[in-house]
Amino acid sequence: MLSRKVLMLAGSIAVVGANALTLSPIAGAVAASFPGVDAPGVMKAAAVYGLATAVGSLLWAPAIDRIGQRRGLLRALAALVAALAVSAGAPSLPVLCLGQALAGLAAGCALPAIYALSARIAEKGRESETLGIVLTGWTVSLVAGVGLSALVADLAHWRLVFAGLAVAAAWLARGVGRNRDWDLPVLPARPSSPLSALRVRGMVPALVVVAVYMTAFYGLYAYLGPHLTGVLRLPTASAGLAPAAYGLGFGLAAFMDRLLDRHGAVAAAPLAFLGLVLVYAGLAAASGQAAVLIAMCLAWGLANHVGLNLIVGRLTALNPARRGAVMGLYGTVTYLAASAGAFFYRPLSSDILSR
């Protein structure tokens, strides 16, 4: 199952995810290179990245259905290389924001292409297992990517973080470029509205599920660190155990994905989402105990992996001929939900932190 193609797709997610997640732990080091800029100011680049990813998913992803999924991923990775190079050499914060905006646009096309390709190359009856392995790229980006980025920024320079990611993206682009058998344009070369996939049967209710699911995740994740360091007064290094535990659980859940293929998504979904509800309840109950809360993050990663597999698997099956457009809307809703989660959870977090 660990074919070279599957590993390349997982690696592509890892590079995209590492760039998306790495700015937070190295923000202080980046700020030191720009006079008059502090760490919160640097995080403006992360906000720009998220907005650009939502826009890129909406505008660029539908083109995947016309030019082919491999070509879409190849072009997105090439654009990501350029964006990371700009970020690595940025002489000022505005230029860094520009680099991250380009990276977001590239990610908005890359992620839908990756998910569409994972559905295309999967063996019959092993779709969930294949997608689960591809999704472990997020674990690599969270556990290894973020940790190594902080280490490199501390021991050498933060610019080497983006330079290293650019090299990795270029290597992956080279590999994707060689796999010409992935090409399968399925729609005629005609323009279509970025919102045309809304007409796909089942799309709207699926996107409602995505919006609720992602708002809950990103809203809690955004303020988990401040809660650990502020309310529970953990040192930053110890607070980092929470995302590490989450990432570990997310990766370990890949071994459960074959059960989804065996029993079917219809049978598995009620149990999976009930389990996720119980995990969120457990996280709330453990909010005053750091060790238990960090341990619950492991279960959170397990449950979220299964839930994400079910959601993405459902979306890629809605209309195979329009997977690019479908997954583009998924990406747009995901990153808008990330912003919504941070916005709507902030009053709750502020109230708890002020006590």
Side-chain angles (χ1 to χ4, degrees):
M1 176 54 64
L2 290 177
S3 70
R4 186 169 179 269
K5 292 179 179 179
V6 173
L7 290 176
M8 275 195 295
L9 294 178
S12 297
I13 281 187
V15 170
V16 171
N19 176 70
L21 299 169
T22 199
L23 199 56
S24 178
I26 67 172
V30 175
S33 297
F34 304 144
V37 176
D38 57 10
V42 169
M43 291 308 295
K44 292 178 182 177
V48 169
Y49 172 87
L51 179 60
T53 304
V55 173
S57 295
L58 183 65
L59 299 181
W60 285 17
I64 296 170
D65 298 319
R66 299 192 300 273
I67 66 175
Q69 296 155 1
R70 181 192 70 92
R71 291 177 183 173
L73 178 56
L74 179 59
R75 294 179 184 182
L77 287 173
L80 184 61
V81 172
L84 290 168
V86 171
S87 298
S92 63
L93 181 58
V95 177
L96 178 63
C97 289
L98 173 62
Q100 287 302 294
L102 295 174
L105 291 173
C109 182
L111 291 174
I114 292 167
Y115 292 140
L117 280 168
S118 69
R120 183 183 180 284
I121 68 175
E123 298 177 21
K124 182 76 171 172
R126 304 184 75 173
E127 294 86 355
S128 294
E129 187 178 358
T130 300
L131 177 59
I133 295 171
V134 171
L135 289 175
T136 57
W138 289 111
T139 295
V140 175
S141 67
L142 187 62
V143 178
V146 174
L148 286 175
S149 296
L151 186 63
V152 170
D154 187 42
L155 298 180
H157 202 282
W158 65 267
R159 296 187 188 278
L160 292 179
V161 173
F162 291 110
L165 290 174
V167 171
W171 181 80
L172 287 164
R174 180 172 176 267
V176 171
R178 290 182 169 183
N179 284 276
R180 297 184 179 277
D181 58 315
W182 283 5
D183 280 324
L184 186 64
V186 290
L187 285 182
R190 57 180 176 82
S192 60
S193 166
L195 299 177
S196 61
L198 288 174
R199 295 193 292 269
V200 173
R201 185 175 182 180
M203 188 67 190
V204 173
L207 289 179
V208 171
V209 172
V210 172
V212 174
Y213 185 92
M214 294 301 181
T215 300
F217 168 73
Y218 282 105
L220 178 56
Y221 189 84
Y223 298 105
L224 179 60
H227 177 78
L228 289 169
T229 56
V231 177
L232 301 183
R233 302 187 183 282
L234 289 185
T236 301
S238 298
L241 292 174
Y246 174 88
L248 180 61
F250 195 94
L252 289 174
F255 296 102
M256 302 167 56
D257 291 323
R258 64 185 60 187
L259 296 176
L260 300 181
D261 290 320
R262 183 180 306 167
H263 299 289
V266 174
L271 291 176
F273 290 112
L274 175 61
L276 186 58
V277 169
L278 294 176
V279 167
Y280 276 120
L283 287 166
S287 62
Q289 302 174 354
V292 180
L293 184 59
I294 291 172
M296 284 298 302
C297 285
L298 181 71
W300 188 24
L302 285 165
N304 253 3
H305 176 108
V306 176
L308 186 60
N309 193 316
L310 288 168
I311 289 172
V312 174
R314 168 63 176 167
L315 285 168
T316 56
L318 286 179
N319 189 333
R322 303 196 65 85
R323 277 181 180 145
V326 167
M327 297 313 299
L329 285 178
Y330 161 80
T332 299
V333 171
T334 293
Y335 280 90
L336 290 177
S339 298
F343 177 79
F344 288 114
Y345 277 56
R346 183 171 183 175
L348 297 175
S349 175
S350 298
D351 180 60
I352 292 173
L353 290 172
S354 64
R355 291 177 184 176

